[in-house]
Amino acid sequence: MRHHLIQRAALTAALLAGAAALAPGHAAVNANDQQFINEAAVGGQFEVEAGKLAAKSTNPKVEAFGQRMVKDHSAANAELSRLVKAQGGTVPQGLDAEHTQLRDHLASLKGDEFDKEYIQLMVKHHDDDTKAFSDEERHTTDPKLKQFVEQTLTIVREQDQMARQIAGDMGLKLNLTKNNNG
């Protein structure tokens, strides 16, 4: 589902580009780019909240990964909000129902059960994000958005690799297909 594809990536670049496209005097953002921007914003908020939950992990690698998600996505969300507001646009605030349910489910888990589900979720989301950012890179007609998506795709792939490494270290079998469209 495309909604999941965008959400957990390191979104700073794509979001900033989307915000720049909203500036007065610029052409309106096309519907596909706006959907990407909106989903990336909600996804970034989810990454922060899920990353905060990783503080309860008993696995130092899971905890550190969660801290990185909080750091990366908090900065992206703050910058996106600042830029979009400066240009008269808005950014979705809070989680949608689907992400609220995912967050609440993660919050209900403890110990190894939490660690396994969190990392498996992060691998899936980062695989999906890689595809979504690759698709956006190919299809956007906004040169600023394209530039930022290209830069962000590197971070998304790095986070995907990190999550996969942690899953491997935990001995998890992943039933996911790695997709690094590039």
Side-chain angles (χ1 to χ4, degrees):
M1 178 193 258
R2 186 155 196 233
H3 184 70
H4 286 296
L5 303 177
I6 316 301
Q7 299 164 342
R8 275 98 1 226
L11 357 132
T12 306
L15 297 174
L16 297 178
L22 296 174
H26 286 80
V29 175
N30 73 44
N32 290 333
D33 287 349
Q34 188 62 56
Q35 180 179 351
F36 177 85
I37 291 163
N38 290 346
E39 291 174 359
V42 171
Q45 293 167 31
F46 173 77
E47 284 299 328
V48 169
E49 292 191 29
K52 287 178 181 177
L53 293 174
K56 70 180 180 176
S57 175
T58 57
N59 182 324
K61 291 179 182 179
V62 171
E63 185 178 359
F65 184 82
Q67 289 171 353
R68 172 145 182 203
M69 296 300 98
V70 170
K71 179 183 172 194
D72 288 353
H73 293 284
S74 291
N77 294 345
E79 185 64 14
L80 173 66
S81 182
R82 184 187 68 75
L83 289 174
V84 172
K85 285 179 183 177
Q87 297 178 26
T90 60
V91 175
Q93 297 298 312
L95 300 178
D96 58 14
E98 182 178 357
H99 289 92
T100 298
Q101 183 178 15
L102 278 172
R103 182 209 51 214
D104 292 349
H105 173 69
L106 286 174
S108 73
L109 303 175
K110 295 183 181 357
D112 288 341
E113 188 179 20
F114 170 82
D115 293 345
K116 289 175 184 177
E117 287 209 32
Y118 175 70
I119 286 300
Q120 287 177 323
L121 183 64
M122 292 298 99
V123 170
K124 180 189 182 328
H125 287 175
H126 285 84
D127 284 355
D128 292 346
D129 292 344
T130 297
K131 181 182 182 325
F133 275 81
S134 295
D135 290 348
E136 183 69 7
E137 178 183 32
R138 282 190 299 273
H139 296 110
T140 186
T141 57
D142 182 318
K144 290 180 181 178
L145 182 57
K146 182 178 179 81
Q147 177 185 1
F148 286 114
V149 167
E150 289 169 349
Q151 293 169 354
T152 302
L153 189 53
T154 301
I155 297 167
V156 170
R157 287 180 173 145
E158 181 181 311
Q159 291 176 337
D160 189 30
Q161 183 178 13
M162 290 172 60
R164 285 179 166 280
Q165 179 64 50
I166 294 167
D169 292 348
M170 293 171 66
L172 299 177
K173 182 177 178 183
L174 301 172
N175 294 324
L176 306 167
T177 301
K178 187 167 183 182
N179 183 351
N180 278 336
N181 294 333

